[in-house]
Amino acid sequence: MRKVWDRPLRACGRLLAALVFGMITLVMAPLTLVVALALPFSGVGTFLASRWVRLVTRWADWNRLRAAGWLGVDVPDLPRPPDHGFRALVGAPATHRVLLWMPLFSVVSILLGCLALIGPGMLVNTVDSLLWWAYPAGFQPEQLGFAVDGWGAAVISAALQFAVGVAILRWVTVPMCDAHARMCVRSLAPSEQEVLAHRVDELQRTRAGVVDAHGAELRRIERDLHDGTQARLVAIAMQLGVAKEAASDPAVAALLEQAHTGTEEAMTELRDVIRGIYPPILADRGLPGALTALAGRTTLPVRLDVTDPGTLPVAVETAAYYAVTESVTNAVRHSGAETISVRLEREDDLLRVEVSDDGHGGVDETAGSGVRGLRRRAAALDGNVTVYSPAGGPTTLRVELPCGS
């Protein structure tokens, strides 16, 4: 018996609660209009509107999650209105959806809540019918359209009202509660485009975090190799050199010579690996200083137009440095250029790198992996690489990298 009546009674309670929530939302609707009318009053209106929209959004989201819990369904998180910018907040689809939900939720909640009162009301009237004798003379109660002035009418009235009340509670309240919950969930459900856009934004944020963590880990590995493994190899090479000079046996001296040579070769390879992981000069001088040093050791004249980009994510800084390094190296080796120009600037959350040379042009990306490697590195950061290299020159490589936090 308890299992049979558990869900109907809970449904009745939820509909009565929905009646209260609907009245609250009905009060919030004109308050929203008042807040909107306050907008012309400079910063005060904007301050009130921003916070009011966020409050209404949280209220709608709470009701949506409550409805989803009743239906036992999982619903996607609502794309939140932007946390900054009044225009973006008011113009967000989530805000429009909530503002349309408010009157619909108010009307449906109040209507179904009032209908849900019928069942308990009839059960209460059952007692009222049976107490007909307690009324003063001439004030007999009327139930179902006829006066209750005797036990026969009282029993019939009580039985009918009890049956109708039980039937409503047992078979009507649950479908009404289900319909109310579905209305709440569906009216607040984001469109497929919004869900997809929200998911893309989330993936971009998480990928940016992964890229930053990866860059920090590369810096740690570079630091450990430079300060640990490389330093130990240098010490071993020095010890082998001393031992070679002190060895009296030619065979031992030859072995020490081989070991010393192998250690120096290992150090050379390790330095190449360290530079490939994360150029130490970036950590020492930053990107502008590293590009200045690159221009200084390049055999061709390099004109630099570099502005300080501020703090950059490690991955972006590394990708920009390698883009310039690869472009300058290719220009020196293959283009026949006489001068090279490097330009670096940051505009808001976008870093632009441009390398130009006055060589003979005709860059063929299929002939090597340099430009393709730059494209892959930039694509991993949601950047892009553009190469303009007609036959006869000049050649311009432009890289754009998002660098927002």
Side-chain angles (χ1 to χ4, degrees):
M1 180 65 70
R2 182 177 179 180
K3 291 182 178 180
V4 171
W5 285 100
D6 178 66
R7 188 168 176 82
L9 291 177
R10 287 195 299 117
C12 183
R14 290 181 67 89
L15 288 174
L16 295 180
L19 174 61
V20 177
F21 298 155
M23 291 179 178
I24 294 174
T25 308
L26 188 62
V27 173
M28 295 173 75
L31 289 178
T32 303
L33 180 60
V34 171
V35 171
L37 293 176
L39 284 177
F41 297 98
S42 186
V44 177
T46 302
F47 177 84
L48 289 175
S50 299
R51 279 148 185 80
W52 182 255
V53 169
R54 292 189 179 94
L55 174 64
V56 171
T57 300
R58 284 195 292 269
W59 171 250
D61 197 27
W62 181 79
N63 279 279
R64 180 186 70 103
L65 294 175
R66 184 172 175 270
W70 168 259
L71 295 174
V73 298
D74 294 326
V75 293
D77 292 336
L78 282 178
R80 296 285 185 178
D83 292 331
H84 59 278
F86 173 71
R87 290 186 178 180
L89 176 67
V90 174
T95 302
H96 296 167
R97 193 165 47 246
V98 170
L99 294 178
L100 292 175
W101 167 84
M102 290 176 67
L104 177 64
F105 178 79
S106 299
V107 171
V108 175
S109 297
I110 293 174
L111 176 61
L112 294 183
C114 291
L115 291 176
L117 285 172
I118 295 176
M122 286 195 166
L123 294 180
V124 172
N125 283 343
T126 299
V127 179
D128 187 53
S129 296
L130 295 177
L131 292 177
W132 66 274
W133 51 270
Y135 282 82
F139 292 95
Q140 284 79 15
E142 289 190 2
Q143 303 291 348
L144 301 178
F146 60 89
V148 179
D149 53 3
W151 282 108
V155 171
I156 293 174
S157 173
L160 287 175
Q161 292 190 87
F162 182 81
V164 173
V166 169
I168 291 176
L169 282 175
R170 178 68 179 84
W171 290 289
V172 178
T173 54
V174 173
M176 285 197 306
C177 191
D178 290 345
H180 179 270
R182 283 193 295 269
M183 177 277 301
C184 193
V185 170
R186 291 175 181 175
S187 60
L188 289 173
S191 64
E192 293 184 4
Q193 291 81 1
E194 287 181 78
V195 173
L196 180 59
H198 178 65
R199 181 59 177 160
V200 169
D201 290 341
E202 182 181 357
L203 289 175
Q204 287 178 336
R205 287 193 300 270
T206 55
R207 185 173 69 172
V210 170
V211 170
D212 288 343
H214 176 66
E217 184 66 13
L218 288 182
R219 291 187 66 172
R220 184 192 65 80
I221 294 173
E222 179 272 329
R223 196 164 50 246
D224 291 345
L225 290 176
H226 184 274
D227 298 338
T229 306
Q230 182 175 266
R232 293 187 65 182
L233 282 175
V234 171
I236 292 172
M238 292 176 63
Q239 292 169 356
L240 288 173
V242 172
K244 179 186 67 175
E245 296 295 331
S248 57
D249 188 339
V252 174
L255 291 174
L256 291 173
E257 174 67 24
Q258 292 177 3
H260 186 262
T261 302
T263 304
E264 291 183 338
E265 291 175 353
M267 284 193 297
T268 301
E269 293 176 359
L270 181 60
R271 290 191 187 98
D272 292 338
V273 171
I274 292 174
R275 283 194 292 269
I277 292 175
Y278 182 77
I281 194 170
L282 281 178
D284 296 337
R285 302 189 187 181
L287 184 56
L291 296 182
T292 302
L294 174 65
R297 65 174 182 265
T298 302
T299 56
L300 293 178
V302 178
R303 291 196 300 267
L304 288 178
D305 180 10
V306 176
T307 58
D308 185 6
T311 303
L312 295 172
V314 173
V316 172
E317 189 177 54
T318 306
Y321 177 76
Y322 278 125
V324 176
T325 303
E326 181 71 23
S327 301
V328 169
T329 301
N330 288 340
V332 171
R333 291 180 179 176
H334 309 296
S335 71
E338 295 182 358
T339 59
I340 302 172
S341 298
V342 177
R343 184 165 169 263
L344 173 74
E345 65 175 356
R346 178 175 181 173
E347 182 178 345
D348 297 328
D349 290 338
L350 188 67
L351 182 70
R352 291 190 178 93
V353 180
E354 184 176 293
V355 181
S356 303
D357 66 70
D358 56 2
H360 51 65
V363 172
D364 183 6
E365 295 188 29
T366 62
S369 59
V371 177
R372 285 180 293 174
L374 292 179
R375 290 191 185 279
R376 287 194 297 269
R377 190 185 287 267
L381 301 171
D382 271 347
N384 63 79
V385 176
T386 304
V387 179
Y388 176 75
S389 183
T395 296
T396 300
L397 181 138
R398 185 178 296 109
V399 181
E400 295 183 342
L401 299 170
C403 54
S405 57

